[in-house]
């Protein structure tokens, strides 16, 4: 019998790797890092065989020449390895991944894109680095478009999570499956709407996203400069409400928010809460447990870690 044994939501930031010594709020950073370790220990205790790993892509594996709303890795998976995150081939549970793709399409619920040679970036490899460290597991990578509008709605993401849950539970093999949602919470990246760039930096970014498939590293230095020059825009009120909803198993109540409302309230980087929502839906919105929330302006982001354990019952 296949069962879903644990969910984890965790923010990511490559600045954790590249600028740790320059982090001013070291106590906050250490609490966040320790919470990642506690979540990793919870995953180890749950003994998963496979992790459904949901995350974004920051124009390193997907480009403006082709960006599906949802892409499932069903074969090879290679991590980009930028900014000190793991690089190279990652182990994929191909049998389960292809079962999920088949089930989604044959049920008529989702005509999901798939990739037999998927490239992921720190939107997922950051979780591999910190949450799966030392664990002997395979992954099923699910990439959600969170940065190139039009974005899939939160309601659509929630429905996909429910559909993937049904597919996983119907898998005829014997799997213990965990789910990780990587990204968020509130932050604002100096990234334009690709449809309407203004100024040299925005024009450069859109050009990198359109033309970077063959020579992405040629754009890296200036991309990094633009990001490092950004000012933090963290929205603790949004983050607190989001985490409280997660703790009470009520994230589906946020699906009425539009993409524009999320950006206005918490920045364009907060679109990554779609990862958490998908994770929560895969856990059937069981109540979660917050392990950390820290405002880290040096990393531009409200950084959070939470665990959803279906074995804890329905009480938040």
């Amino acid at each position: 019998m296949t069962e879903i044994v644990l969910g984890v939501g965790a923010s990511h930031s490559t600045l954790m790797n590249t600028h740790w010594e320059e982090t001013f709020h070291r106590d906050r950073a250490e609490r966040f890092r320790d919470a990642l370790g506690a979540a990793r220990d919870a995953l180890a205790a749950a003994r998963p065989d496979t992790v459904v790993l949901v995350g974004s892509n920051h124009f390193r594996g997907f480009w403006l020449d082709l960006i599906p709303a949802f892409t499932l890795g069903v074969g090879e998976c290679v991590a980009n390895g930028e900014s000190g995150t793991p690089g190279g081939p990652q182990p994929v549970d191909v049998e389960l991944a292809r079962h999920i793709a088949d089930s989604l399409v044959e049920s008529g619920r989702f005509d999901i894109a798939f990739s037999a040679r998927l490239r992921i970036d720190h939107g997922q490899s950051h979780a591999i680095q910190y949450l799966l460290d030392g664990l002997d597991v395979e992954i099923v990578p699910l990439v959600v478009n969170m940065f190139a509008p039009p974005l899939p709605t939160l309601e659509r993401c929630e429905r996909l999570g429910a559909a993937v849950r049904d597919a996983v539970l119907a898998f005829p093999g014997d799997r213990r499956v965990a789910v990780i949602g990587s990204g968020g919470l509130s932050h604002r990246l100096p990234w334009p709407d690709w449809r309407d760039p203004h100024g040299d930096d925005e024009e450069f970014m859109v050009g990198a996203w359109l033309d970077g498939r063959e020579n992405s590293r040629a754009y890296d230095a200036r991309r990094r400069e633009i990001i490092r020059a950004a000012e933090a825009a963290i929205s603790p009120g949004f983050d607190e409400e989001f985490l409280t909803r997660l703790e009470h198993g009520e994230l589906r109540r946020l699906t009425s928010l539009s993409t524009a409302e999320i950006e206005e309230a918490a920045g364009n980087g907060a679109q990554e809460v779609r990862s958490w929502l998908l994770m929560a839906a895969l856990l059937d919105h069981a109540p979660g447990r917050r392990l950390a929330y820290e405002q880290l302006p040096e990393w531009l982001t409200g950084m959070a870690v939470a665990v959803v354990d279906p074995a804890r019952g329905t009480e938040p």
Side-chain angles (χ1 to χ4, degrees), residues 50 54 57 66 110 184 199 207 210 243 262 280-281 289 302:
T50 303
V54 187
N57 194 280
L66 181 63
F110 278 86
L210 183 60
L243 290 169
I262 293 171
R289 179 166 53 96

Side-chain angles (χ1 to χ4, degrees), residues 185-202:
L185 296 179
S186 66
H187 62 295
R188 183 172 298 279
L189 297 170
W191 288 4
D193 183 328
W194 67 271
R195 302 164 296 187
D196 187 29
H198 297 279
D200 290 344
D201 283 348
E202 292 193 0

Side-chain angles (χ1 to χ4, degrees), residues 31-46:
R31 286 194 295 267
F32 173 75
R33 183 184 59 188
D34 291 346
L36 287 178
R40 182 263 174 211
D41 291 345
L43 283 163

Side-chain angles (χ1 to χ4, degrees), residues 12-25:
H12 59 241
S13 173
T14 59
L15 298 173
M16 183 173 172
N17 292 345
T18 61
H19 290 75
W20 181 267
E21 296 304 322
E22 300 172 25
T23 301
F24 177 73
H25 296 96

Side-chain angles (χ1 to χ4, degrees), residues 93-131:
D93 187 340
V94 172
E95 186 180 11
L96 178 58
R98 295 183 182 179
H99 164 80
I100 293 171
D102 289 344
S103 297
L104 293 174
V105 173
E106 291 172 3
S107 68
R109 297 171 74 176
F110 278 86
D111 297 317
I112 195 166
F114 66 87
S115 174
R117 184 171 292 155
L118 181 68
R119 178 169 288 272
I120 60 174
D121 71 2
H122 73 270
Q124 288 161 301
S125 59
H126 192 276
I128 292 171
Q129 180 177 13
Y130 289 101
L131 297 175

Side-chain angles (χ1 to χ4, degrees), residues 2-296:
T2 294
E3 56 184 328
I4 300 174
V5 296
L6 196 74
V8 174
S11 305
H12 59 241
S13 173
T14 59
L15 298 173
M16 183 173 172
N17 292 345
T18 61
H19 290 75
W20 181 267
E21 296 304 322
E22 300 172 25
T23 301
F24 177 73
H25 296 96
R26 187 68 65 85
D27 55 339
R28 302 180 190 179
E30 289 176 348
R31 286 194 295 267
F32 173 75
R33 183 184 59 188
D34 291 346
L36 287 178
R40 182 263 174 211
D41 291 345
L43 283 163
R47 298 180 292 106
D49 304 298
T50 303
V51 173
V52 176
L53 180 52
V54 187
S56 58
N57 194 280
H58 305 76
F59 300 102
R60 296 183 183 276
F62 290 80
W63 313 92
L64 288 176
D65 57 2
L66 181 63
I67 297 190
F70 307 108
T71 305
L72 194 68
V74 298
E76 299 173 20
C77 177
V78 178
N80 193 61
E82 79 279 5
S83 303
T85 55
Q90 304 299 315
V92 174
D93 187 340
V94 172
E95 186 180 11
L96 178 58
R98 295 183 182 179
H99 164 80
I100 293 171
D102 289 344
S103 297
L104 293 174
V105 173
E106 291 172 3
S107 68
R109 297 171 74 176
F110 278 86
D111 297 317
I112 195 166
F114 66 87
S115 174
R117 184 171 292 155
L118 181 68
R119 178 169 288 272
I120 60 174
D121 71 2
H122 73 270
Q124 288 161 301
S125 59
H126 192 276
I128 292 171
Q129 180 177 13
Y130 289 101
L131 297 175
L132 302 184
D133 182 32
L135 303 188
D136 183 17
V137 297
E138 295 181 315
I139 64 171
V140 173
L142 174 58
V143 181
V144 181
N145 172 27
M146 305 189 204
F147 293 117
L151 307 183
T153 65
L154 267 68
E155 181 181 10
R156 191 67 170 159
C157 292
E158 203 275 337
R159 289 184 181 181
L160 177 60
V164 174
R165 171 182 171 82
D166 290 344
V168 168
L169 295 178
F171 182 64
D174 186 15
R175 294 285 196 282
R176 294 176 61 83
V177 177
V179 187
I180 294 174
S182 178
L185 296 179
S186 66
H187 62 295
R188 183 172 298 279
L189 297 170
W191 288 4
D193 183 328
W194 67 271
R195 302 164 296 187
D196 187 29
H198 297 279
D200 290 344
D201 283 348
E202 292 193 0
E203 293 281 0
F204 168 82
M205 294 296 275
V206 173
W209 300 341
L210 183 60
D211 300 325
R213 184 177 296 277
E214 301 302 327
N215 61 339
S216 63
R217 297 193 184 278
Y219 297 94
D220 277 355
R222 186 171 173 187
R223 271 179 56 136
R224 200 69 177 171
E225 289 176 1
I226 292 171
I227 292 172
R228 289 297 295 153
E231 294 185 3
I234 299 171
S235 303
F238 175 92
D239 295 342
E240 176 63 30
E241 179 180 359
F242 184 86
L243 290 169
T244 299
R245 295 289 189 191
L246 177 75
E247 288 173 317
H248 289 268
E250 297 176 350
L251 276 191
R252 59 163 58 94
R253 293 192 179 186
L254 300 181
T255 57
S256 62
L257 290 175
S258 69
T259 296
E261 288 170 330
I262 293 171
E263 179 162 357
E264 181 178 357
N268 57 355
Q271 306 296 353
E272 290 180 322
V273 298
R274 288 164 169 80
S275 293
W276 290 61
L277 179 59
L278 266 157
M279 178 275 294
L282 266 151
L283 273 292
D284 200 25
H285 293 285
R289 179 166 53 96
R290 184 186 325 196
L291 301 184
Y293 173 70
E294 301 294 340
Q295 298 178 52
L296 277 160

